[in-house]
Each structure stands twice: as C-alpha cells, then as structure tokens.
Amino acid sequence: MCKLNYYRIIDANINRVAEGVRVLEDISRFIIENPDTTNSLRELRHRIRKSFSHPRLANYRNAAGDIGLSVSAATTWDNKGNISDLVTGNFKRIQEGIRSIEEHLKILGYNQQSKVYETLRFSAYQLEKNFPLKRVVFDGIYGITGETFATGKTNVDLAKEMIAAGITVIQYREKEKSKLEKYHQCQTIRRLTLEAGTTFIVNDDLDIALAVTADGIHIGQDDLPLKKVRQIAGNMIIGVSTHNPDQAKAAVSDGADYIGVGPIFSTNTKKNLEKSGGLKYLEWVAENISIPHVAIGGIKEENIAQVKKHGGKCFAIISELAGAHSIEQKVAALHSALE
Ligand SMILES: Cc1ncc(COP(=O)(O)OP(=O)(O)O)c(N)n1
Ligand SMILES: Cc1ncsc1CCOP(=O)(O)O
Ligand SMILES: [Mg+2]
C-alpha cells in the first residue's frame, strides 16, 4: 500500500475518535451533568487532536470518496437501544480508533507518538470504567486468584483464564509473595482487566491498589478502618469482609460498596478462618442489608445452588477455580448449577 494512505487512515481515525469523545462529552455534560467527567473527556479530545499533526493529514483527506461510508451505512453499529449502549458503543469506537492510529503511526516510524496514543487508549479505558452510568454489578461468579492452590498456573494465568471465561469481577489475593512481586502481577492484571472491561479489586494492599489504579480494594476486619480507607481511596470500590450482623451494619454505615459474607462453608484456603453463621448469616444479609453482598468460603459446583437458595447472588471462589483444569469449563458448570 502507498505510504500516503497510512496518513489518510490516521486522519480518519483521529476524526472518528474525536467525534466519539464529543458524543460522550455531551452525554456527560447535558444528561449526567458531571463536570469532572466532562472535563476529562474534553482534555482527552484535545490530546487526540493535538498529539500528532502532519501536513499530509489534511492533504490526503477524501471524505466523499471514502468507501467506508457505504460500508458503515450497512452495519448495525449505530443501532443503540439505550443510553448505556450508546456510551459503550462510543467507548469501543474510541478505543479501536486509537489502536488503529497507534499501529499506523508505528508503520510510518512515529514510535514516540504511537506510545502517546497508547497512553490515551488506556485513559479511555479508565474513563469508561469510571463513567457515571457504568455501575459494577455484583452478580454471578467473583473470581479470586490463588496460585498456591493451582497446579503450575500463576496468578496472571488464572486472571487471564477468568477473563476468557467471562468472569466480570476479579480479586487479586496473594499471601506468599513480596510486595514487589505482587505489584508486578497486579500491573499486568490491571492491563488485562482494563482491556477486557473486567472489574479489578486488590485484596489487603491499598498501596498496590492505588499504584496500579485498580477499581477496588477488599479489606478485612483487622485491616485499616473503612473510613480511613475511604479517605485515602476516594471513590474506589471498597469491599469489607463481614462475619456477623453487627459487622455488616457497621460496614454499611461506614460507607462500604459491598460486603463479603462468610465463611459460608469450611475451607482450607484461608488460615485462621473466622466463625460465621454460614448460610443462616447469608439469609440475614439478603433480607436486611441494602448494599451488594458477596458470599465466600468453600463454594463449589456441588453446593453453589444451595448458597443461591439461601440468598446468594454473587459467589466469590478461590480453590474451585484455581484447581480446575479449565476455568472456562468450571465456570460453565457453575452457571448451569445456578440455573
Ligand atoms: C469477597 C471477599 N470476601 C471476603 C474476603 C476475605 O478477606 P479477609 O477477611 O481480609 O481475609 P483474606 O482474604 O485477606 O485472607 C475476601 N478476600 N474477598
Ligand atoms: C478468603 C476467604 N475468606 C473467607 S473464606 C475464604 C477462602 C475462600 O476460598 P475457597 O473458595 O477456596 O474456599
Ligand atoms: Mg484481608
């Protein structure tokens, strides 16, 4: 292909991406009325336009002769059923457009500029996650890493398999490694989860959660107090482990976004396992607690339906996933047990 056509592709994508950002900016400004998101989107749009300029961009613009006009007219890309679809569609358009800019800049030898657009793509992922219409739903399987309970798979391998299996919330839990090793694994998992649109929560280590810009932090009863974590973590998702009604009520009044409820069954995965009322406590939570709850402890294919019967909606699982030969098959089996 003639090199000049690459400039045309870059030009078309800069315009496409900037237009997509503009749509989101309008939604944020006029519908959701959120000044912070509106400003971040405006800044992204300016950076998209300004981060690469070349006289050839405009010279080779040929909108009328663009065969893509007839191709895109025939697609269902713009069949948006509601505002949430519109937001998702535009974020996808933006992310794909930036990826195309990155690749074509590389072909032309503009490696530095390509890196700048890569950073902008990751800003777009982050903006999508935090977009005020996008709420995390705690429903179905909540996957927790546990390479000690796997045969030869690392936490990163486990997270990759969980993403491929369609798990939408992943927690990084690791009790053996150094802070640095955990940080490196979390950096990789953050990148993978951002690309997949998966919610990423870090267990215990608030510093790591902040350093990798995770979506959330999960704390236990002996960790920093929830109110202090909220001060430090801002609007990050905060989950709190609870084992009885008093702890659940305190977590709600101190501002938790969700509570862990358990252990439901006995398990060897956690040392010094707390006592809880198990399924009875879960039933109490389902009836009395307004924020989302996540059942945990010994949940397996053969008992998950029982957990659901007692009010379980979201099921946190370590060893049953880590020990599975194929996480994808295990998740499918767990889903059919829930039907
Ligand atoms: C979803 C969820 N619920 C509970 C826990 C347990 O957290 P914690 O009590 O801090 O114990 P450790 O996991 O740190 O051993 C959890 N991690 N996730
Ligand atoms: C971390 C934790 N907190 C309560 S039980 C538990 C362990 C859950 O692991 P598994 O799913 O293997 O029982
Ligand atoms: Mg903990």
Side-chain angles (χ1 to χ4, degrees):
M1 176 162 87
C2 167
K3 270 210 161 185
L4 299 176
N5 284 335
Y6 295 124
Y7 287 98
R8 197 171 156 205
I9 294 173
I10 293 167
D11 180 54
N13 276 292
I14 288 177
N15 286 324
R16 177 185 301 158
V17 171
E19 283 160 15
V21 178
R22 189 72 203 220
V23 173
L24 294 169
E25 234 177 288
D26 285 346
I27 294 172
S28 171
R29 181 172 167 199
F30 297 114
I31 300 179
I32 307 172
E33 299 182 350
N34 184 311
D36 290 346
T37 310
T38 308
N39 288 336
S40 306
L41 286 162
R42 184 178 305 121
E43 194 190 323
L44 176 67
R45 183 164 51 82
H46 289 159
R47 292 184 63 200
I48 295 286
R49 288 234 178 258
K50 301 253 160 69
S51 296
F52 182 70
S53 66
H54 194 287
R56 283 185 176 150
L57 290 187
N59 286 352
Y60 291 91
R61 194 167 297 161
N62 179 13
D66 181 353
I67 58 149
L69 289 178
S70 53
V71 174
S72 61
T75 68
T76 53
W77 183 246
D78 287 317
N79 283 351
K80 307 291 188 311
N82 55 42
I83 188 139
S84 176
D85 290 350
L86 185 66
V87 169
T88 305
N90 274 285
F91 271 115
K92 290 287 158 279
R93 187 198 302 263
I94 291 163
Q95 289 145 10
E96 288 168 13
I98 301 179
R99 171 75 86 167
S100 176
I101 297 168
E102 282 169 55
E103 298 303 333
H104 293 99
L105 282 172
K106 268 193 248 165
I107 292 179
L108 290 169
Y110 296 108
N111 293 331
Q112 201 76 16
Q113 287 90 335
S114 172
K115 278 265 161 239
V116 172
Y117 279 95
E118 187 185 10
T119 312
L120 296 180
R121 182 162 51 87
F122 278 91
S123 305
Y125 290 135
Q126 203 73 53
L127 275 165
E128 182 176 12
K129 279 236 143 272
N130 296 331
F131 202 78
L133 269 182
K134 301 231 139 202
R135 295 269 171 264
V136 180
V137 179
F138 289 93
D139 200 1
I141 311 297
Y142 174 130
I144 305 187
T145 63
E147 67 178 49
T148 354
F149 310 97
T151 41
K153 295 177 190 171
T154 65
N155 288 318
V156 172
D157 296 333
L158 292 169
K160 272 188 198 159
E161 270 199 66
M162 288 181 197
I163 291 169
I167 290 180
T168 54
V169 182
I170 295 179
Q171 181 190 123
Y172 179 84
R173 180 179 185 274
E174 170 55 60
K175 298 287 180 180
E176 310 289 333
K177 294 191 190 303
S178 70
K179 184 79 93 181
L180 186 63
E181 286 172 308
K182 290 193 277 185
Y183 169 64
H184 285 313
Q185 287 197 322
C186 282
Q187 267 189 316
T188 307
I189 297 174
R190 168 70 297 189
R191 187 173 49 74
L192 296 168
T193 49
L194 267 181
E195 283 179 331
T198 309
T199 298
F200 181 43
I201 293 176
V202 174
N203 186 43
D204 296 341
D205 297 297
L206 179 55
D207 50 357
I208 297 180
L210 291 167
V212 304
T213 63
D215 300 305
I217 171 80
H218 188 94
I219 54 173
Q221 289 293 321
D222 294 333
D223 291 322
L224 276 181
L226 169 54
K227 284 185 178 164
K228 184 47 77 181
V229 175
R230 178 60 75 201
Q231 260 178 22
I232 300 169
N235 65 0
M236 193 178 254
I237 298 165
I238 305 179
V240 181
S241 303
T242 68
H243 318 291
N244 59 53
D246 285 347
Q247 290 173 352
K249 286 187 257 180
V252 175
S253 71
D254 290 350
D257 293 297
Y258 75 91
I259 54 169
V261 176
I264 302 294
F265 303 113
S266 77
T267 173
N268 294 324
T269 305
K270 183 173 159 103
K271 292 179 191 140
N272 305 319
L273 197 65
E274 301 83 357
K275 286 203 177 352
S276 96
L279 291 167
K280 248 186 152 2
Y281 171 48
L282 175 62
E283 265 178 21
W284 181 89
V285 168
E287 278 165 25
N288 295 283
I289 294 294
S290 54
I291 63 173
H293 54 88
V294 179
I296 187 165
I299 301 177
K300 315 225 170 276
E301 190 181 329
E302 57 268 21
N303 61 24
I304 194 165
Q306 197 187 355
V307 183
K308 181 178 174 185
K309 239 191 226 155
H310 288 78
K313 260 190 82 100
C314 186
F315 312 88
I317 302 183
I318 304 180
S319 51
E320 182 80 338
L321 295 177
H325 173 67
S326 153
I327 292 186
E328 204 162 343
Q329 282 170 16
K330 179 54 75 179
V331 168
L334 288 160
H335 282 152
S336 47
L338 284 170
E339 276 166 10

